[in-house]
Amino acid sequence: MIILFLNCGSSSVKYSVYDWDQKKSLCAGAVERIGIEGSFISQDRNGYPTFELKRNCKDHKDAINLVIETLTDKEHGVIENINVISAVGHRIVHGGKFAKSVIVDDKVVEELRNIADLAPLHNPAHIMGIEAARALLPNVTHVCVMDTAFHQTMPASSYMYALPRKWYTDYQIRRYGFHGSSVLYTSRRAAVLLGKNVDEVNSIVCHIGAGASVTAVKNGQCLDTSMGLTPLEGLVMGTRSGDIDPSICFHMMKKLNMSADEMYTILNKKSGMYALTGDRFADQRDVRKGAANGDELCKLALDVECYRVKKYIGAYMAALGRLDCIVFTAGVGERATNIREMILKGLENFGIMLDEERNNAADTNKAECCISADNSKVKIFVIPTDEEIVGVQDIVALLAGTYDVYTKFRYIFQEKDYRNKLRDAAFIEEVKKRPFLLKAAVNLPEQLKQELKN
């Protein structure tokens, strides 16, 4: 069974192709600059050089058509023809009150339109992608995978805002949360690493990238999460402010005669790390480089970011009552050794003990790692996220009629012997270059460990 997975932005279409029978990803790519001069497609396929092609795409239909052409190309493609595609998955950033993935029909599209203003930077583009893909592939099942679905188990005490009741009843103003597929995957992998059932584990998942969130998972279900109605709330991010006093907005709108749209742009695209570094760096790699070279604003930006994460960890520890593990994932969480150290420093009295050597060894996204000390009461894991496999299995189960809300559904990656073969192969190559990476890696078969040591 071949699954085409799409993630449509306002001027881009990211895609991947997954072979369910072989349990492996065939390729991943993106069409960039849709509707802008200089559109191009870039595709990565395991074992082959990156393929790039420039072609103007005036809209999402053009872009998805280019994706299909590339996937079926005799030289660069991965499938014989579009007829082998069993389903198309669509990642939806804001699924509103959808509690699970759903097969697309006109009613689903209409509901996404109704909540489009809750995620104006994302959902309108998703809808354009769905319509374009349905037009090009009308005989294929299309499925929406909701990034907010995992968080629908939050109690009202977590998701309600202290705002006029009619705002909730008439306009659906509440906390929704995001990065749901990532949290679902990593929290369940953490349970496997702990050797426990999912419903026995309390975890805090720190998904830290350009967008960032912290989620409290109690007995395998979302208890609370830092992002809110939109992805703006919570942590300091690349260009998003995260939590602020709302009065600042009204004060500065008056001072600068600023419109609501202008303020929205500032909070989402001109704040965060970018603002803290003096309107210079939104990418944390640049911020870390600046800090290492003595840039005081870059140092401050990292201090503010890490302190905010630490505060959420502390709050969620209190909310959970008992904490089994902390998980770091996503681009920064998986690769930034010093960021993990800054976040966890000072939490030793709570039984959170970082092993410096293991933490330094976990600087690759190619393997699951344990970076806590042996005497740490709370385990600390670095787990590479895999949102694709969550969506793919949802789609496969929907087609088979076996799917249900995540609290009643078991994923293949919850099995003890689940392996990501492509990631294992990449990790082996990493270890050959840097043997010290083995110090932190967990869940590796003994035979593989011995082979790598030899």
Side-chain angles (χ1 to χ4, degrees):
M1 183 180 293
I2 304 297
I3 309 295
L4 170 61
F5 207 84
L6 301 175
N7 181 3
C8 296
S10 58
S11 61
S12 67
V13 172
K14 296 179 182 178
Y15 68 93
S16 60
V17 179
Y18 195 90
D19 185 330
W20 176 253
D21 298 326
Q22 298 293 322
K23 301 295 186 293
K24 68 177 184 179
S25 180
L26 300 181
C27 71
V31 180
E32 305 280 358
R33 300 179 62 84
I34 299 170
I36 307 170
E37 189 70 27
S39 306
F40 67 95
I41 189 170
S42 175
Q43 177 174 288
D44 289 312
R45 182 163 55 130
N46 190 44
Y48 294 84
T50 298
F51 167 70
E52 290 191 0
L53 176 68
K54 293 182 179 179
R55 183 190 295 179
N56 285 335
C57 297
K58 67 178 184 296
D59 54 28
H60 284 69
K61 191 172 183 179
D62 278 353
I64 294 173
N65 191 54
L66 177 56
V67 169
I68 293 171
E69 285 184 25
T70 304
L71 293 177
T72 56
D73 182 80
K74 289 185 178 180
E75 183 178 356
H76 304 290
V78 295
I79 57 176
E80 293 180 10
N81 54 66
I82 61 172
N83 294 326
V84 305
I85 297 174
S86 299
V88 179
H90 300 267
R91 184 202 177 206
I92 307 298
V93 166
H94 209 311
K97 292 187 177 181
F98 282 108
K100 58 183 179 179
S101 300
V102 294
I103 293 176
V104 177
D105 58 22
D106 292 342
K107 289 183 178 179
V108 170
V109 175
E110 186 59 30
E111 178 59 24
L112 292 177
R113 288 190 199 282
N114 292 338
I115 61 171
D117 60 343
L118 297 181
L121 300 179
H122 300 94
N123 276 27
H126 296 331
I127 294 168
M128 286 191 288
I130 291 170
E131 292 179 333
R134 290 177 81 191
L136 290 167
L137 297 164
N139 300 319
V140 173
T141 301
H142 292 256
V143 174
C144 286
V145 179
M146 313 298 185
D147 206 27
T148 48
F150 178 77
H151 304 296
Q152 287 296 304
T153 55
M154 282 188 291
S157 56
S158 293
Y159 69 70
M160 285 298 295
Y161 290 113
L163 294 168
R165 180 71 181 176
K166 284 181 68 66
W167 291 12
Y168 171 69
T169 57
D170 294 359
Y171 302 103
Q172 298 82 52
I173 302 299
R174 52 159 286 177
R175 180 181 308 282
Y176 288 95
F178 301 87
H179 299 141
S181 295
S182 176
V183 179
L184 191 157
Y185 177 83
T186 53
S187 62
R188 273 144 179 70
R189 288 304 301 159
V192 172
L193 299 182
L194 290 168
K196 296 183 177 182
N197 293 326
V198 169
D199 58 9
E200 299 174 325
V201 176
N202 289 357
S203 58
I204 294 175
V205 178
C206 303
H207 179 111
I208 308 175
S213 65
V214 180
T215 300
V217 182
K218 186 177 181 67
N219 299 328
Q221 299 182 25
C222 179
L223 174 68
D224 201 355
T225 190
S226 59
M227 284 181 167
L229 173 75
T230 74
L232 180 60
E233 187 180 358
L235 304 179
V236 172
M237 300 171 237
T239 61
R240 297 179 189 137
S241 66
D243 297 337
I244 63 168
D245 179 349
S247 293
I248 293 171
C249 301
F250 310 121
H251 179 73
M252 294 311 299
M253 287 169 73
K254 289 180 181 179
K255 285 283 186 182
L256 302 178
N257 193 28
M258 191 182 297
S259 69
D261 285 344
E262 288 173 317
M263 177 56 71
Y264 186 89
T265 298
I266 287 174
L267 294 177
N268 278 281
K269 296 186 176 181
K270 296 183 179 180
S271 297
M273 305 290 276
Y274 175 76
L276 286 169
T277 58
D279 298 350
R280 290 182 297 160
F281 306 126
D283 191 314
Q284 205 210 68
R285 289 169 293 189
D286 295 324
V287 181
R288 295 202 304 272
K289 184 177 179 181
N293 291 329
D295 188 306
E296 292 300 324
L297 288 182
C298 288
K299 290 180 182 178
L300 174 63
L302 294 181
D303 286 342
V304 172
E305 178 193 43
C306 293
Y307 179 64
R308 184 72 60 84
V309 178
K310 183 179 295 187
K311 283 208 300 183
Y312 267 98
I313 289 175
Y316 288 163
M317 284 175 62
L320 289 168
R322 187 200 80 247
L323 180 61
D324 296 299
C325 65
I326 295 173
V327 178
F328 288 93
T329 193
V332 176
E334 294 170 22
R335 302 181 186 96
T337 299
N338 64 322
I339 297 302
R340 296 192 297 263
E341 183 177 1
M342 290 173 68
I343 290 169
L344 297 174
K345 187 176 181 180
L347 298 180
E348 294 81 6
N349 287 338
F350 298 97
I352 301 171
M353 315 286 286
L354 182 69
D355 185 293
E356 184 177 348
E357 189 176 21
R358 289 173 179 167
N359 187 41
N360 289 336
D363 68 344
T364 173
N365 68 337
K366 303 297 193 299
E368 296 169 338
C369 297
C370 177
I371 60 173
S372 49
D374 291 337
N375 63 339
S376 180
K377 293 181 180 179
V378 176
K379 291 291 186 183
I380 309 166
F381 296 122
V382 177
I383 300 178
T385 192
D386 192 345
E387 295 161 295
E388 180 185 50
I389 191 62
V390 175
V392 166
Q393 191 171 354
D394 285 2
I395 293 165
V396 171
L398 275 165
L399 293 179
T402 59
Y403 180 63
D404 204 343
V405 66
Y406 81 88
T407 56
K408 301 177 182 178
F409 186 71
R410 188 171 181 86
Y411 288 88
I412 60 170
F413 48 82
Q414 292 178 233
E415 307 304 328
K416 187 176 181 179
D417 59 353
Y418 171 78
R419 309 295 309 162
N420 185 319
K421 294 178 182 179
L422 287 177
R423 188 169 284 155
D424 278 352
F427 180 66
I428 290 169
E429 294 304 313
E430 291 279 342
V431 171
K432 288 178 181 177
K433 302 172 190 173
R434 298 178 291 168
F436 73 92
L437 293 175
L438 270 177
K439 293 182 182 295
V442 290
N443 197 41
L444 292 177
E446 284 301 319
Q447 183 179 354
L448 178 56
K449 283 185 180 180
Q450 291 304 317
E451 290 177 2
L452 290 171
K453 286 179 180 179
N454 296 333

